[in-house]
mmCIF file of all heavy atoms in Angstrom:
data_model
loop_
_atom_site.group_PDB
_atom_site.id
_atom_site.type_symbol
_atom_site.label_atom_id
_atom_site.label_comp_id
_atom_site.label_asym_id
_atom_site.label_seq_id
_atom_site.Cartn_x
_atom_site.Cartn_y
_atom_site.Cartn_z
ATOM 1 N N ILE A 232 1.784 24.328 -2.560
ATOM 2 C CA ILE A 232 1.271 23.316 -1.565
ATOM 3 C C ILE A 232 0.160 22.628 -2.291
ATOM 4 O O ILE A 232 -0.772 23.288 -2.836
ATOM 5 C CB ILE A 232 0.805 24.037 -0.257
ATOM 6 C CG1 ILE A 232 1.961 24.520 0.564
ATOM 7 C CG2 ILE A 232 -0.047 23.114 0.562
ATOM 8 C CD1 ILE A 232 1.575 25.318 1.792
ATOM 9 N N ILE A 233 0.097 21.343 -2.227
ATOM 10 C CA ILE A 233 -1.034 20.616 -2.727
ATOM 11 C C ILE A 233 -1.650 19.764 -1.585
ATOM 12 O O ILE A 233 -1.027 19.311 -0.635
ATOM 13 C CB ILE A 233 -0.645 19.656 -3.935
ATOM 14 C CG1 ILE A 233 0.357 18.547 -3.378
ATOM 15 C CG2 ILE A 233 -0.004 20.479 -5.022
ATOM 16 C CD1 ILE A 233 0.616 17.466 -4.444
ATOM 17 N N LEU A 234 -2.972 19.620 -1.667
ATOM 18 C CA LEU A 234 -3.742 18.673 -0.791
ATOM 19 C C LEU A 234 -4.438 17.595 -1.654
ATOM 20 O O LEU A 234 -4.850 17.851 -2.809
ATOM 21 C CB LEU A 234 -4.759 19.535 0.022
ATOM 22 C CG LEU A 234 -4.176 20.677 0.889
ATOM 23 C CD1 LEU A 234 -5.405 21.357 1.589
ATOM 24 C CD2 LEU A 234 -3.154 20.206 1.870
ATOM 25 N N LEU A 235 -4.553 16.447 -1.076
ATOM 26 C CA LEU A 235 -5.258 15.378 -1.784
ATOM 27 C C LEU A 235 -6.554 14.964 -0.998
ATOM 28 O O LEU A 235 -6.404 14.484 0.183
ATOM 29 C CB LEU A 235 -4.337 14.196 -2.015
ATOM 30 C CG LEU A 235 -3.111 14.328 -2.851
ATOM 31 C CD1 LEU A 235 -1.973 14.959 -1.968
ATOM 32 C CD2 LEU A 235 -2.689 13.027 -3.480
ATOM 33 N N ASN A 236 -7.633 15.195 -1.598
ATOM 34 C CA ASN A 236 -8.980 14.886 -0.915
ATOM 35 C C ASN A 236 -9.528 13.575 -1.466
ATOM 36 O O ASN A 236 -9.886 13.499 -2.587
ATOM 37 C CB ASN A 236 -9.972 15.954 -1.184
ATOM 38 C CG ASN A 236 -11.273 15.717 -0.383
ATOM 39 O OD1 ASN A 236 -11.308 15.348 0.728
ATOM 40 N ND2 ASN A 236 -12.381 16.044 -1.081
ATOM 41 N N LYS A 237 -9.457 12.506 -0.642
ATOM 42 C CA LYS A 237 -9.950 11.181 -1.108
ATOM 43 C C LYS A 237 -11.459 11.178 -1.271
ATOM 44 O O LYS A 237 -12.191 11.697 -0.368
ATOM 45 C CB LYS A 237 -9.556 10.100 -0.112
ATOM 46 C CG LYS A 237 -9.760 8.728 -0.666
ATOM 47 C CD LYS A 237 -9.053 7.701 0.241
ATOM 48 C CE LYS A 237 -9.139 6.278 -0.380
ATOM 49 N NZ LYS A 237 -8.509 5.235 0.406
ATOM 50 N N ILE A 238 -11.886 10.745 -2.368
ATOM 51 C CA ILE A 238 -13.398 10.711 -2.705
ATOM 52 C C ILE A 238 -13.963 9.352 -2.438
ATOM 53 O O ILE A 238 -13.457 8.348 -2.822
ATOM 54 C CB ILE A 238 -13.584 11.112 -4.210
ATOM 55 C CG1 ILE A 238 -12.994 12.419 -4.485
ATOM 56 C CG2 ILE A 238 -15.060 11.032 -4.469
ATOM 57 C CD1 ILE A 238 -13.037 12.768 -6.005
ATOM 58 N N PRO A 239 -15.036 9.328 -1.697
ATOM 59 C CA PRO A 239 -15.672 8.023 -1.366
ATOM 60 C C PRO A 239 -16.142 7.328 -2.645
ATOM 61 O O PRO A 239 -16.576 7.993 -3.603
ATOM 62 C CB PRO A 239 -16.940 8.457 -0.486
ATOM 63 C CG PRO A 239 -16.602 9.717 -0.018
ATOM 64 C CD PRO A 239 -15.764 10.425 -1.037
ATOM 65 N N GLY A 240 -16.021 6.043 -2.655
ATOM 66 C CA GLY A 240 -16.370 5.287 -3.859
ATOM 67 C C GLY A 240 -15.751 3.984 -3.983
ATOM 68 O O GLY A 240 -14.881 3.602 -3.041
ATOM 69 N N ASN A 241 -15.901 3.264 -5.071
ATOM 70 C CA ASN A 241 -15.368 1.918 -5.186
ATOM 71 C C ASN A 241 -14.000 2.009 -5.864
ATOM 72 O O ASN A 241 -13.251 1.001 -5.755
ATOM 73 C CB ASN A 241 -16.190 1.149 -6.208
ATOM 74 C CG ASN A 241 -17.626 0.808 -5.569
ATOM 75 O OD1 ASN A 241 -17.731 0.684 -4.413
ATOM 76 N ND2 ASN A 241 -18.587 0.821 -6.381
ATOM 77 N N GLU A 242 -13.563 3.070 -6.321
ATOM 78 C CA GLU A 242 -12.276 3.183 -6.965
ATOM 79 C C GLU A 242 -11.378 4.212 -6.170
ATOM 80 O O GLU A 242 -11.861 5.123 -5.473
ATOM 81 C CB GLU A 242 -12.247 3.588 -8.428
ATOM 82 C CG GLU A 242 -12.820 5.046 -8.669
ATOM 83 C CD GLU A 242 -12.949 5.288 -10.077
ATOM 84 O OE1 GLU A 242 -12.748 4.480 -11.037
ATOM 85 O OE2 GLU A 242 -13.330 6.482 -10.387
ATOM 86 N N GLU A 243 -9.986 4.026 -6.241
ATOM 87 C CA GLU A 243 -9.206 5.020 -5.693
ATOM 88 C C GLU A 243 -9.180 6.360 -6.423
ATOM 89 O O GLU A 243 -8.723 6.389 -7.558
ATOM 90 C CB GLU A 243 -7.745 4.393 -5.638
ATOM 91 C CG GLU A 243 -6.775 5.212 -4.824
ATOM 92 C CD GLU A 243 -6.651 4.864 -3.380
ATOM 93 O OE1 GLU A 243 -7.565 4.151 -2.915
ATOM 94 O OE2 GLU A 243 -5.683 5.232 -2.765
ATOM 95 N N ALA A 244 -9.660 7.437 -5.817
ATOM 96 C CA ALA A 244 -9.761 8.730 -6.507
ATOM 97 C C ALA A 244 -9.487 9.881 -5.518
ATOM 98 O O ALA A 244 -9.873 9.807 -4.365
ATOM 99 C CB ALA A 244 -11.088 8.789 -7.143
ATOM 100 N N TYR A 245 -8.782 10.876 -6.055
ATOM 101 C CA TYR A 245 -8.532 11.986 -5.136
ATOM 102 C C TYR A 245 -8.704 13.319 -5.974
ATOM 103 O O TYR A 245 -8.380 13.461 -7.164
ATOM 104 C CB TYR A 245 -6.978 12.075 -4.773
ATOM 105 C CG TYR A 245 -6.570 10.929 -3.890
ATOM 106 C CD1 TYR A 245 -6.154 9.658 -4.463
ATOM 107 C CD2 TYR A 245 -6.640 10.983 -2.541
ATOM 108 C CE1 TYR A 245 -5.765 8.643 -3.659
ATOM 109 C CE2 TYR A 245 -6.193 10.017 -1.704
ATOM 110 C CZ TYR A 245 -5.842 8.732 -2.237
ATOM 111 O OH TYR A 245 -5.419 7.775 -1.465
ATOM 112 N N GLU A 246 -9.319 14.274 -5.273
ATOM 113 C CA GLU A 246 -9.350 15.730 -5.825
ATOM 114 C C GLU A 246 -8.044 16.334 -5.401
ATOM 115 O O GLU A 246 -7.559 16.170 -4.238
ATOM 116 C CB GLU A 246 -10.481 16.426 -5.166
ATOM 117 C CG GLU A 246 -11.850 16.033 -5.618
ATOM 118 C CD GLU A 246 -12.968 16.708 -4.885
ATOM 119 O OE1 GLU A 246 -12.808 17.113 -3.723
ATOM 120 O OE2 GLU A 246 -13.986 16.878 -5.437
ATOM 121 N N ILE A 247 -7.337 16.940 -6.386
ATOM 122 C CA ILE A 247 -6.068 17.597 -6.163
ATOM 123 C C ILE A 247 -6.237 19.117 -5.928
ATOM 124 O O ILE A 247 -6.792 19.827 -6.925
ATOM 125 C CB ILE A 247 -5.065 17.402 -7.259
ATOM 126 C CG1 ILE A 247 -4.954 15.840 -7.536
ATOM 127 C CG2 ILE A 247 -3.702 17.855 -6.903
ATOM 128 C CD1 ILE A 247 -4.595 15.026 -6.395
ATOM 129 N N ILE A 248 -5.996 19.611 -4.786
ATOM 130 C CA ILE A 248 -6.322 21.048 -4.416
ATOM 131 C C ILE A 248 -4.992 21.867 -4.614
ATOM 132 O O ILE A 248 -3.995 21.532 -3.912
ATOM 133 C CB ILE A 248 -6.848 21.162 -3.030
ATOM 134 C CG1 ILE A 248 -8.159 20.337 -2.882
ATOM 135 C CG2 ILE A 248 -7.109 22.610 -2.689
ATOM 136 C CD1 ILE A 248 -8.266 19.646 -1.617
ATOM 137 N N VAL A 249 -5.065 22.775 -5.510
ATOM 138 C CA VAL A 249 -3.884 23.723 -5.716
ATOM 139 C C VAL A 249 -4.395 25.088 -5.885
ATOM 140 O O VAL A 249 -5.399 25.365 -6.424
ATOM 141 C CB VAL A 249 -3.191 23.334 -7.145
ATOM 142 C CG1 VAL A 249 -1.772 23.992 -7.211
ATOM 143 C CG2 VAL A 249 -3.064 21.819 -7.283
ATOM 144 N N ASP A 250 -3.681 26.062 -5.270
ATOM 145 C CA ASP A 250 -4.023 27.432 -5.357
ATOM 146 C C ASP A 250 -5.440 27.740 -4.787
ATOM 147 O O ASP A 250 -6.130 28.589 -5.236
ATOM 148 C CB ASP A 250 -4.014 27.961 -6.757
ATOM 149 C CG ASP A 250 -2.573 27.925 -7.437
ATOM 150 O OD1 ASP A 250 -1.611 28.003 -6.675
ATOM 151 O OD2 ASP A 250 -2.474 27.827 -8.623
ATOM 152 N N GLY A 251 -5.866 26.808 -3.772
ATOM 153 C CA GLY A 251 -7.101 27.012 -3.168
ATOM 154 C C GLY A 251 -8.384 26.626 -3.935
ATOM 155 O O GLY A 251 -9.505 26.964 -3.659
ATOM 156 N N GLU A 252 -8.150 25.715 -4.851
ATOM 157 C CA GLU A 252 -9.321 25.123 -5.643
ATOM 158 C C GLU A 252 -8.962 23.680 -6.182
ATOM 159 O O GLU A 252 -7.773 23.342 -6.293
ATOM 160 C CB GLU A 252 -9.687 25.986 -6.867
ATOM 161 C CG GLU A 252 -8.635 26.167 -7.876
ATOM 162 C CD GLU A 252 -9.057 27.030 -9.055
ATOM 163 O OE1 GLU A 252 -10.095 26.595 -9.651
ATOM 164 O OE2 GLU A 252 -8.350 28.060 -9.281
ATOM 165 N N VAL A 253 -9.968 22.967 -6.377
ATOM 166 C CA VAL A 253 -9.716 21.578 -7.025
ATOM 167 C C VAL A 253 -9.436 21.829 -8.508
ATOM 168 O O VAL A 253 -10.212 22.355 -9.239
ATOM 169 C CB VAL A 253 -10.912 20.627 -6.904
ATOM 170 C CG1 VAL A 253 -10.709 19.433 -7.547
ATOM 171 C CG2 VAL A 253 -11.160 20.423 -5.342
ATOM 172 N N LYS A 254 -8.191 21.380 -8.953
ATOM 173 C CA LYS A 254 -7.875 21.688 -10.312
ATOM 174 C C LYS A 254 -7.765 20.337 -11.170
ATOM 175 O O LYS A 254 -7.913 20.349 -12.303
ATOM 176 C CB LYS A 254 -6.432 22.338 -10.379
ATOM 177 C CG LYS A 254 -6.474 23.804 -9.983
ATOM 178 C CD LYS A 254 -5.235 24.579 -10.383
ATOM 179 C CE LYS A 254 -5.394 26.010 -10.098
ATOM 180 N NZ LYS A 254 -4.122 26.774 -10.426
ATOM 181 N N TYR A 255 -7.722 19.185 -10.365
ATOM 182 C CA TYR A 255 -7.613 17.926 -11.104
ATOM 183 C C TYR A 255 -8.349 16.868 -10.203
ATOM 184 O O TYR A 255 -8.381 17.040 -8.953
ATOM 185 C CB TYR A 255 -6.129 17.498 -11.372
ATOM 186 C CG TYR A 255 -5.271 18.538 -11.936
ATOM 187 C CD1 TYR A 255 -4.442 19.348 -11.193
ATOM 188 C CD2 TYR A 255 -5.409 18.827 -13.349
ATOM 189 C CE1 TYR A 255 -3.676 20.321 -11.723
ATOM 190 C CE2 TYR A 255 -4.600 19.769 -13.945
ATOM 191 C CZ TYR A 255 -3.757 20.592 -13.031
ATOM 192 O OH TYR A 255 -2.960 21.580 -13.732
ATOM 193 N N LEU A 256 -8.715 15.847 -10.877
ATOM 194 C CA LEU A 256 -9.138 14.620 -10.040
ATOM 195 C C LEU A 256 -8.331 13.511 -10.692
ATOM 196 O O LEU A 256 -8.394 13.341 -11.975
ATOM 197 C CB LEU A 256 -10.670 14.433 -10.162
ATOM 198 C CG LEU A 256 -11.230 13.283 -9.360
ATOM 199 C CD1 LEU A 256 -12.693 13.594 -9.048
ATOM 200 C CD2 LEU A 256 -11.164 11.965 -10.072
ATOM 201 N N ILE A 257 -7.578 12.783 -9.901
ATOM 202 C CA ILE A 257 -6.882 11.573 -10.342
ATOM 203 C C ILE A 257 -7.544 10.357 -9.871
ATOM 204 O O ILE A 257 -8.086 10.304 -8.732
ATOM 205 C CB ILE A 257 -5.365 11.590 -9.995
ATOM 206 C CG1 ILE A 257 -5.205 11.554 -8.454
ATOM 207 C CG2 ILE A 257 -4.685 12.777 -10.590
ATOM 208 C CD1 ILE A 257 -3.738 11.303 -8.075
ATOM 209 N N TYR A 258 -7.701 9.359 -10.675
ATOM 210 C CA TYR A 258 -8.368 8.086 -10.289
ATOM 211 C C TYR A 258 -7.504 6.953 -10.863
ATOM 212 O O TYR A 258 -6.953 7.000 -11.943
ATOM 213 C CB TYR A 258 -9.743 8.060 -10.592
ATOM 214 C CG TYR A 258 -9.971 8.086 -12.181
ATOM 215 C CD1 TYR A 258 -10.293 6.906 -12.853
ATOM 216 C CD2 TYR A 258 -9.911 9.210 -12.903
ATOM 217 C CE1 TYR A 258 -10.524 6.930 -14.178
ATOM 218 C CE2 TYR A 258 -10.180 9.217 -14.263
ATOM 219 C CZ TYR A 258 -10.419 8.077 -14.941
ATOM 220 O OH TYR A 258 -10.639 8.030 -16.329
ATOM 221 N N PHE A 259 -7.626 5.798 -10.205
ATOM 222 C CA PHE A 259 -6.985 4.529 -10.724
ATOM 223 C C PHE A 259 -7.949 3.781 -11.543
ATOM 224 O O PHE A 259 -8.980 3.383 -11.060
ATOM 225 C CB PHE A 259 -6.502 3.709 -9.526
ATOM 226 C CG PHE A 259 -5.669 2.539 -10.025
ATOM 227 C CD1 PHE A 259 -4.330 2.809 -10.406
ATOM 228 C CD2 PHE A 259 -6.115 1.279 -10.071
ATOM 229 C CE1 PHE A 259 -3.564 1.680 -10.772
ATOM 230 C CE2 PHE A 259 -5.377 0.161 -10.400
ATOM 231 C CZ PHE A 259 -4.058 0.464 -10.807
ATOM 232 N N ASP A 260 -7.644 3.706 -12.819
ATOM 233 C CA ASP A 260 -8.440 3.038 -13.810
ATOM 234 C C ASP A 260 -8.133 1.478 -13.674
ATOM 235 O O ASP A 260 -7.060 1.048 -14.097
ATOM 236 C CB ASP A 260 -8.208 3.516 -15.292
ATOM 237 C CG ASP A 260 -9.196 2.847 -16.255
ATOM 238 O OD1 ASP A 260 -9.420 1.663 -16.132
ATOM 239 O OD2 ASP A 260 -9.513 3.562 -17.145
ATOM 240 N N GLU A 261 -8.989 0.733 -13.066
ATOM 241 C CA GLU A 261 -8.743 -0.746 -12.775
ATOM 242 C C GLU A 261 -8.603 -1.510 -13.994
ATOM 243 O O GLU A 261 -7.853 -2.545 -14.026
ATOM 244 C CB GLU A 261 -9.781 -1.248 -11.771
ATOM 245 C CG GLU A 261 -9.759 -0.618 -10.448
ATOM 246 C CD GLU A 261 -10.764 -1.226 -9.470
ATOM 247 O OE1 GLU A 261 -11.345 -2.234 -9.742
ATOM 248 O OE2 GLU A 261 -10.916 -0.642 -8.320
ATOM 249 N N ASP A 262 -9.291 -1.158 -15.073
ATOM 250 C CA ASP A 262 -9.302 -1.945 -16.316
ATOM 251 C C ASP A 262 -7.993 -1.728 -17.014
ATOM 252 O O ASP A 262 -7.289 -2.693 -17.539
ATOM 253 C CB ASP A 262 -10.426 -1.464 -17.228
ATOM 254 C CG ASP A 262 -11.802 -1.927 -16.695
ATOM 255 O OD1 ASP A 262 -11.866 -2.986 -15.986
ATOM 256 O OD2 ASP A 262 -12.701 -1.112 -17.011
ATOM 257 N N LYS A 263 -7.461 -0.408 -17.053
ATOM 258 C CA LYS A 263 -6.182 -0.127 -17.680
ATOM 259 C C LYS A 263 -4.987 -0.270 -16.708
ATOM 260 O O LYS A 263 -3.862 -0.141 -17.165
ATOM 261 C CB LYS A 263 -6.256 1.198 -18.318
ATOM 262 C CG LYS A 263 -7.213 1.382 -19.409
ATOM 263 C CD LYS A 263 -7.200 2.743 -20.173
ATOM 264 C CE LYS A 263 -8.260 2.909 -21.147
ATOM 265 N NZ LYS A 263 -8.247 4.207 -21.781
ATOM 266 N N GLU A 264 -5.305 -0.505 -15.470
ATOM 267 C CA GLU A 264 -4.315 -0.576 -14.423
ATOM 268 C C GLU A 264 -3.300 0.658 -14.494
ATOM 269 O O GLU A 264 -2.039 0.412 -14.430
ATOM 270 C CB GLU A 264 -3.490 -1.899 -14.543
ATOM 271 C CG GLU A 264 -4.353 -3.077 -14.322
ATOM 272 C CD GLU A 264 -3.503 -4.400 -14.229
ATOM 273 O OE1 GLU A 264 -2.373 -4.348 -14.492
ATOM 274 O OE2 GLU A 264 -4.095 -5.461 -13.883
ATOM 275 N N LYS A 265 -3.895 1.834 -14.642
ATOM 276 C CA LYS A 265 -3.009 3.077 -14.625
ATOM 277 C C LYS A 265 -3.895 4.243 -13.991
ATOM 278 O O LYS A 265 -5.100 4.173 -13.944
ATOM 279 C CB LYS A 265 -2.609 3.318 -15.994
ATOM 280 C CG LYS A 265 -3.614 3.693 -16.908
ATOM 281 C CD LYS A 265 -3.152 4.146 -18.342
ATOM 282 C CE LYS A 265 -2.346 5.379 -18.273
ATOM 283 N NZ LYS A 265 -1.945 5.797 -19.646
#
């Protein structure tokens, strides 16, 4: 089971919660568009 916690800020970013802890943070790099 994964949960996505949206982080306040100017860019789209989420903490990815797995196994009861934040293991990754994904964010949209606007310069690289990825």
Side-chain angles (χ1 to χ4, degrees):
I232 289 180
I233 65 168
L234 304 179
L235 295 86
N236 183 44
K237 192 168 187 178
I238 301 174
N241 295 325
E242 64 184 6
E243 185 90 345
Y245 295 89
E246 290 175 330
I247 309 303
I248 302 140
V249 193
D250 297 333
E252 63 177 300
V253 175
K254 289 192 174 180
Y255 312 98
L256 187 151
I257 62 169
Y258 65 98
F259 188 74
D260 188 319
E261 296 184 8
D262 293 329
K263 295 182 179 180
E264 295 187 354
K265 65 178 294 189

